[in-house]
């Protein structure tokens, strides 16, 4: 084991610099993950639609992680931004603007505006009031979409979306290969950006605010301004996730604003772990594959098994499972574990 | 000479209860001032008024001659008024490096940078190591704060406040809860604070007050009972009656 931070010959400034650089360094696990994820586009063709769904759910979860895991804002209404993004590209595509990428930008803008405006409601109050407020905002949006049926199609959903090819070249195919590569690429780009952000001074102030907002203010951090920025950014990313779903499925309905979306994405973070960026991705994979696998075995009772699994997970504690997992890996593949600890 | 910190007729009432009653303090630059008083004397309310957590019912607060009475907590920090807490208020998941870097970045106006990694600005690194070094924290600067011994956490509590480069530093019982063996280190750190920083010590512990402070204000029932040099306060029979006498009993 080579601990780069404890060498006595280094000056404290060098040690500090190295420590901070090591915190943000790419781990081999991350690199392997992305290579495998993109490689999957060349096989398992019949599963590409499922993979695309997972990538979209992962993106949605990563956006919730930014406010929940990093900034400490609990939300039970994150679907508001997801749904708004979906309807934004849906309505654009129905009106003749079917270009996917500019659609994503538009979805990010509309969801970002809603995020910015509602962030002022979320700033005040404790966790419980935040849960209620976010839940309320999502319900309001759901009901609005239901009432405005001339625009949204109401309960029937938005019919007649014409989504164009990505970059003008790659049309969405029946297997979902384009959908998967497209969604995965967007997820990759967002994660690249967030990797920078969470290790930046801005990202550190979010963690400080989560840990202790009282002290954060007392050392001069403008808490309100940082939370508004984080909430708006998370809303934009959720809007992009919703837009991806609408584009890849060619459809948007009230389902994108339903409460279960907000709840599911919270569960995804519970499974994968919050405040670690990849927790949302891992959670999305486990959640969606479990859902799919169990639904094949027992189509009627899959929710029961998912629920049971969650209760077990929470009771056992993810930290304990993680330690057990690491120990198992260490026994099976000693060289791999050694690499991990030197990180 | 302008005063570093001044209050004029500061009042705070909660309904019928007057928690701070006509408090006027005058602290020159570099002062070592202690604020003492029995429990319920209104020390906490006074800190909250000074730092901007509470708004005074009436009266003024001036920092370097500038009225800061209407500013928020973080604005006052930026102007140079910082406090520490009696019970540690730290960021348990962060390391001392990251904690102090927060304060330094924020003071240099770089706290909102989202496009670059922490530690890529040499000026921030130099300054944060300097602060950690002053409090003898560099050995353990890469450990999670919540895993540090209490005495070290107590030092970090002061270090992160000093990293905001305050003109006036309010120390709220800096040695509270520190085990005997680690106490001396804290007292030395307090005694070694930069001379140009005005320090206000809010304290119960008379040893620490008499050792550290040059002047003392005695707060009783929200009002200043008396103030003066350490010798004057020591020999004041009224102080003995309301405060020292009580603590001996």
């Amino acid at each position: 084991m080579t601990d780069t931070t404890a060498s006595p010959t280094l000056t404290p400034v060098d040690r500090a610099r190295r420590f901070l650089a090591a915190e943000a360094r790419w781990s081999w696990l991350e690199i392997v993950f992305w290579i495998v994820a993109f490689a999957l586009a060349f096989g398992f063709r019949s599963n590409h639609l499922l993979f695309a769904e997972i990538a979209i759910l992962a993106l949605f979860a990563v956006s919730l992680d930014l406010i929940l895991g990093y900034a400490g804002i609990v939300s039970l209404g994150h679907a508001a931004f997801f749904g708004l993004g979906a309807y934004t590209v849906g309505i654009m595509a129905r009106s003749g603007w079917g270009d996917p990428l500019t659609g994503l930008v538009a979805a990010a803008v509309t969801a970002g505006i809603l995020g910015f405006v509602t962030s002022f409601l979320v700033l005040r109050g404790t966790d419980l009031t935040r849960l209620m407020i976010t839940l309320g905002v999502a319900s309001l949006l759901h009901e609005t979409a239901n009432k405005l049926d001339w625009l949204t199609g109401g309960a029937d959903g938005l019919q007649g979306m014409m989504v164009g090819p990505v970059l003008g070249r790659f049309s969405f195919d029946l297997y979902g290969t384009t959908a998967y590569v497209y969604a995965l690429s967007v997820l990759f780009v967002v994660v690249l950006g967030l990797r920078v952000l969470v290790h930046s001074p801005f990202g550190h102030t979010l963690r400080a605010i989560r840990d202790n907002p009282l002290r954060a203010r007392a050392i001069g951090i403008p808490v309100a301004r940082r939370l508004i920025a984080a909430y708006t950014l998370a809303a934009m990313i959720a809007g992009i996730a919703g837009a991806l779903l609408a584009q890849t499925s060619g459809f948007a309905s009230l389902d994108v604003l339903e409460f279960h979306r907000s709840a599911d994405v919270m569960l995804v973070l519970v499974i994968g772990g919050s405040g670690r960026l990849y927790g949302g991705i891992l959670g999305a994979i486990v959640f969606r594959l479990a859902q799919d696998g169990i639904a094949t075995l027992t189509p009627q009772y899959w929710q029961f098994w998912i629920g049971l699994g969650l209760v077990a997970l929470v009771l056992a504690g993810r930290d304990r499972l993680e330690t057990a997992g690491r120990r198992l890996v260490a026994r099976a593949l000693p060289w791999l574990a050694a690499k991990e600890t030197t990180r | 000479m302008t005063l570093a910190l001044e209050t004029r007729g500061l009042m705070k009432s909660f309904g019928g209860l007057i928690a701070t009653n006509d408090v006027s303090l005058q602290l020159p630059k570099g002062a070592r001032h202690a604020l003492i008083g029995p429990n319920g004397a209104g020390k906490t309310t006074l800190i909250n008024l000074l730092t901007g957590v509470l708004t005074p019912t009436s009266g003024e607060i001036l920092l370097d001659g500038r009225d800061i009475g209407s500013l928020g907590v973080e604005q006052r920090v930026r102007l140079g008024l910082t406090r520490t807490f009696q019970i540690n208020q730290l960021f348990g998941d962060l390391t001392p490096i990251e904690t102090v870097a927060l304060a330094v970045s924020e003071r240099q106006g770089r706290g909102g940078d989202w496009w670059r990694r922490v530690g890529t600005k040499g000026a921030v690194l130099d300054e944060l190591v300097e602060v950690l070094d002053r409090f003898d924290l560099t050995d353990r600067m890469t450990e999670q704060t919540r895993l540090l011994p209490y005495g070290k956490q107590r030092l970090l509590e002061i270090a992160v406040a000093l990293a905001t480069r305050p003109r006036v530093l309010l120390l709220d019982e800096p040695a509270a809860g520190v085990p005997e063996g680690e106490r001396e280190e804290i007292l030395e750190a307090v005694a070694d604070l930069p001379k140009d920083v005005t320090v206000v010590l809010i304290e119960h512990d008379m040893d620490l007050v008499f050792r550290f402070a040059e002047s003392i204000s005695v707060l009783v029932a929200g009002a200043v009972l008396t103030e003066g040099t350490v010798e004057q306060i020591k020999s004041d029979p009224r102080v003995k009656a309301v405060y020292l006498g009580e603590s001996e009993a």
Side-chain angles (χ1 to χ4, degrees):
Chain A
M1 256 204 298
T2 50
D3 187 347
T4 50
T5 57
S7 169
T9 53
L10 291 170
T11 67
V13 175
D14 286 331
R15 280 169 49 212
R17 183 182 293 118
R18 286 190 185 203
F19 173 76
L20 291 169
E23 290 276 279
R25 195 166 297 145
W26 282 84
S27 86
W28 61 272
L29 255 177
E30 272 179 283
I31 298 168
V32 169
F33 166 76
W34 287 111
I35 292 174
V36 170
F38 277 104
L40 285 177
F42 299 100
F44 301 98
R45 210 155 68 139
S46 56
N47 291 316
H48 283 175
L49 275 177
L50 176 66
F51 293 168
E53 266 182 60
I54 292 175
I56 292 166
L57 182 59
L59 184 63
F60 190 28
V62 165
S63 101
L64 181 65
D65 195 21
L66 181 63
I67 55 167
L68 178 69
Y70 286 91
I73 302 171
V74 289
S75 168
L76 262 184
H78 214 47
F81 309 117
F82 186 86
L84 185 59
Y87 273 110
T88 301
V89 291
I91 291 166
M92 280 171 72
R94 197 186 50 179
S95 323
W97 189 271
D99 179 57
L101 286 182
T102 46
L104 290 190
V105 174
V109 170
T110 53
I113 291 170
L114 182 69
F116 178 76
V117 173
T118 54
S119 69
F120 293 91
L121 303 172
V122 173
L123 280 184
R124 303 195 161 272
T126 56
D127 287 352
L128 197 62
T129 46
R130 282 171 172 173
L131 282 178
M132 291 299 115
I133 286 169
T134 49
L135 184 63
V137 168
S139 310
L140 282 173
L141 213 67
H142 183 271
E143 205 41 47
T144 309
N146 190 20
K147 284 275 179 256
L148 297 180
D149 50 5
W150 57 271
L151 183 69
T152 62
D156 297 333
L158 200 60
Q159 310 286 341
M161 276 178 67
M162 300 295 288
V163 183
V166 182
L167 296 171
R169 279 188 61 189
F170 306 100
S171 304
F172 289 103
D173 55 291
L174 264 140
Y175 291 106
T177 306
T178 306
Y180 174 52
V181 176
Y182 174 48
L184 185 66
S185 304
V186 173
L187 176 67
F188 181 61
V189 170
V190 169
V191 168
L192 278 186
L194 288 181
R195 264 189 117 270
V196 174
L197 183 131
V198 300
H199 293 112
S200 73
F202 175 85
H204 279 208
T205 60
L206 293 185
R207 287 164 65 196
I209 292 167
R210 176 200 63 198
D211 273 13
N212 194 336
L214 172 76
R215 190 60 193 268
R217 290 187 78 195
I219 59 171
I221 296 173
V223 171
R225 215 179 329 146
R226 296 288 152 75
L227 289 182
I228 290 169
Y231 198 75
T232 305
L233 180 63
M236 291 170 75
I237 298 172
I240 293 175
L244 283 176
L245 182 72
Q247 289 174 341
T248 54
S249 64
F251 185 62
S253 71
L254 288 177
D255 180 64
V256 293
L257 286 164
E258 291 285 356
F259 171 71
H260 76 81
R261 293 238 174 235
S262 302
D264 281 357
V265 75
M266 189 83 111
L267 292 183
V268 163
L269 279 189
V270 169
I271 294 170
S274 61
R276 46 179 70 187
L277 215 50
Y278 283 89
I281 300 177
L282 177 68
I285 296 170
V286 173
F287 180 78
R288 200 61 192 78
L289 287 183
Q291 212 178 32
D292 208 57
I294 298 168
T296 319
L297 293 176
T298 66
Q300 286 174 343
Y301 303 113
W302 64 272
Q303 281 183 319
F304 170 83
W305 293 107
I306 294 253
L308 189 69
L310 277 168
V311 170
L313 174 74
V314 172
L315 282 181
R318 194 181 35 252
D319 288 347
R320 238 184 294 172
L321 289 179
E322 223 175 88
T323 326
R326 271 175 207 279
R327 219 169 283 160
L328 213 68
V329 170
R331 206 167 295 166
L333 308 158
W335 63 272
L336 212 148
K339 252 189 177 168
E340 174 71 359
T341 48
T342 53
R343 200 164 65 77
Chain B
M1 185 171 116
T2 56
L3 297 164
L5 182 68
E6 185 181 4
T7 67
R8 293 179 188 158
L10 207 56
M11 296 275 277
K12 179 69 189 180
S13 53
F14 299 101
L17 176 79
I18 298 175
T20 302
N21 190 1
D22 194 20
V23 170
S24 297
L25 298 170
Q26 297 194 324
L27 306 179
K29 190 173 174 179
R32 293 290 184 266
H33 192 79
L35 207 60
I36 65 173
N39 278 329
K43 295 183 303 258
T44 304
T45 307
L46 186 55
I47 298 176
N48 285 338
L49 288 172
L50 291 175
T51 53
V53 175
L54 295 173
T55 332
T57 311
S58 66
E60 288 176 357
I61 304 165
L62 293 96
L63 184 69
D64 281 318
R66 177 177 170 174
D67 188 356
I68 57 165
S70 59
L71 300 180
V73 174
E74 55 261 46
Q75 286 168 303
R76 294 185 199 200
V77 174
R78 221 165 300 143
L79 291 174
L81 179 69
T82 308
R83 69 167 295 186
T84 66
F85 292 82
Q86 182 187 342
I87 297 162
N88 283 340
Q89 298 290 340
L90 294 167
F91 311 113
D93 278 353
L94 304 189
T95 61
I97 292 186
E98 292 160 335
T99 304
V100 176
L102 284 169
V104 175
S105 303
E106 209 58 62
R107 204 205 76 248
Q108 295 187 355
R110 314 298 307 244
D113 289 6
W114 55 266
W115 57 87
R116 62 173 185 88
R117 190 165 57 65
V118 175
T120 48
K121 281 274 176 279
V124 176
L125 273 178
D126 290 345
E127 196 176 320
L128 85 88
V129 168
E130 188 192 316
V131 171
L132 289 170
D133 207 28
R134 170 187 279 273
F135 292 92
D136 207 16
L137 285 164
T138 44
D139 288 347
R140 313 193 66 162
M141 65 183 176
T142 57
E143 292 174 43
Q144 261 193 340
T145 296
R146 71 167 115 97
L147 303 177
L148 295 177
Y150 195 76
K152 289 285 178 194
Q153 291 191 19
R154 222 52 206 131
L155 285 171
L156 182 59
E157 176 77 29
I158 305 172
V160 63
L162 194 65
T164 66
R165 287 234 184 121
R167 296 157 191 272
V168 177
L169 180 60
L170 308 178
L171 294 179
D172 193 355
E173 301 198 25
V178 177
E180 202 50 50
E182 298 171 59
R183 206 175 129 81
E184 192 55 34
E185 201 181 2
I186 311 267
L187 299 192
E188 275 168 26
V190 171
D192 288 345
L193 286 170
K195 291 286 167 257
D196 58 338
V197 176
T198 306
V199 181
V200 181
L201 180 70
I202 296 97
E203 193 49 85
H204 261 306
D205 182 334
M206 284 304 126
D207 280 348
L208 214 168
V209 170
F210 290 145
R211 178 167 153 180
F212 169 79
E214 290 154 358
S215 56
I216 299 176
S217 296
V218 184
L219 213 58
V220 175
V224 177
L225 175 74
T226 180
E227 51 190 357
T229 63
V230 172
E231 291 311 312
Q232 286 167 338
I233 298 298
K234 263 185 181 170
S235 55
D236 191 319
R238 286 176 303 168
V239 176
K240 277 190 180 147
V242 300
Y243 189 75
L244 300 179
E246 181 194 85
S247 71
E248 276 162 18

